[in-house]
Amino acid sequence: MTVQEVSRLAGVSVRTLHYYDQIGLLRPTTVTEAGYRLYDDTALERLQQILLFRELEFPLKDIKTILDQPDFDRNKALSQQIELLTLKKERLERLIRFAREIKETGAATMEFQVFDTSNIDAYTRQAKAQWGDTAAYREFEQKTAGQPEDAQMAAAEGLMDVFRGFGALRDQSPEAPAVRTQVEALQAYLSAHYYTCTPEILAGLGQLYAQGEFAENIDRAGGPGTAALVSAAIEVYCR
């Protein structure tokens, strides 16, 4: 298939496919003498895996590292995707029911639990730890093994409290001493409740916290702009 045909089939722009080629994430199977990129079924299967990992909000460089591993387990990756997408589907269904109830009854409600994404976030963190650092994932399993659901929820809420602490510092620079202290508190909390948060892992989380639902949840806890501060502060701290 040509790059235009792959673009139409997968819903990915031609520009994106060119970029994937440039960074070595998705090479075309062959390039014709005229310079046209051509993709076979093996390349399309790799593209599927790339898009699935993007649903887990993995950075492109991490996806490349994972897919290039000789022991890459495609079935494990698919199982994680099924679980994550199921969680997202259930959340959307709850939101739809909630919106319909408001429309049908016309009644105001202070119910906000329906917007909670803590279970999705927790599963995503678990998947990222498993692929990104085997030792970290083993530690995560040991710390959470047998934990009741309320304990896991309490740990997640404690993490939100740390982000609320960042929210109180939104008027300060990422280089400010108080902000640095809060980054240290975040690193210590993750190490105590999830896995040893090395500088490498912390730097990766800093990038993740500025994206998608992670950023939305952090801003919901600390106020608009909190996620941006957390990400910038972690970058300064790790540098």
Side-chain angles (χ1 to χ4, degrees):
M1 299 181 70
T2 66
V3 67
Q4 288 84 3
E5 290 170 335
V6 173
S7 174
R8 288 193 294 269
L9 176 67
V12 178
S13 71
V14 171
R15 182 178 180 180
T16 296
L17 292 171
H18 286 176
Y19 180 66
Y20 287 176
D21 183 11
Q22 292 173 10
I23 64 176
L25 179 60
L26 180 67
R27 299 287 194 191
T29 307
T30 187
V31 179
T32 68
E33 292 183 359
Y36 293 105
R37 296 172 171 85
L38 298 178
Y39 299 80
D40 63 5
D41 288 346
T42 300
L44 292 178
E45 182 177 321
R46 183 177 173 98
L47 176 58
Q48 285 181 335
Q49 289 298 328
I50 292 169
L51 297 179
L52 288 172
F53 274 113
R54 290 298 286 164
E55 286 294 324
L56 278 172
E57 300 184 4
F58 275 56
L60 293 178
K61 61 182 181 63
D62 291 348
I63 297 175
K64 182 179 184 303
T65 299
I66 292 168
L67 295 182
D68 289 345
Q69 292 175 0
D71 58 347
F72 170 67
D73 189 336
R74 178 174 175 269
N75 287 331
K76 181 173 75 173
L78 289 172
S79 295
Q80 290 175 335
Q81 284 300 323
I82 291 170
E83 178 65 21
L84 179 64
L85 292 172
T86 299
L87 291 173
K88 290 186 175 182
K89 170 178 174 289
E90 292 172 350
R91 178 174 181 269
L92 284 174
E93 289 176 342
R94 289 195 301 270
L95 286 169
I96 292 170
R97 288 196 300 269
F98 179 68
R100 283 177 174 167
E101 289 174 4
I102 295 176
K103 180 180 179 181
E104 291 172 0
T105 62
T109 175
M110 293 297 104
E111 172 62 50
F112 289 95
Q113 187 176 0
V114 68
F115 300 102
D116 181 46
T117 61
S118 58
N119 58 341
I120 296 175
D121 296 341
Y123 185 84
T124 303
R125 285 195 301 270
Q126 177 181 343
K128 287 183 69 65
Q130 183 175 6
W131 284 111
D133 189 316
T134 302
Y137 178 66
R138 286 198 299 266
E139 185 178 357
F140 175 84
E141 281 195 318
Q142 292 171 359
K143 288 185 176 181
T144 58
Q147 272 192 359
E149 184 176 349
D150 58 348
Q152 296 181 29
M153 293 292 290
E157 184 60 26
L159 182 59
M160 290 298 105
D161 284 339
V162 176
F163 291 132
R164 292 185 185 101
F166 277 103
L169 303 171
R170 284 177 293 163
D171 60 339
Q172 299 195 32
S173 163
E175 293 90 357
V179 176
R180 178 184 177 87
T181 298
Q182 194 65 16
V183 174
E184 292 172 346
L186 171 63
Q187 187 176 27
Y189 190 89
L190 292 170
S191 295
H193 293 85
Y194 296 103
Y195 41 76
T196 301
C197 188
T198 65
E200 293 76 17
I201 291 178
L202 182 63
L205 289 173
Q207 297 176 6
L208 182 66
Y209 288 158
Q211 303 174 19
E213 291 189 354
F214 287 95
E216 293 174 7
N217 289 335
I218 292 172
D219 282 352
R220 190 176 299 123
T226 303
L229 173 64
V230 174
S231 181
I234 289 175
E235 181 183 358
V236 170
Y237 179 82
C238 291
R239 187 172 65 238

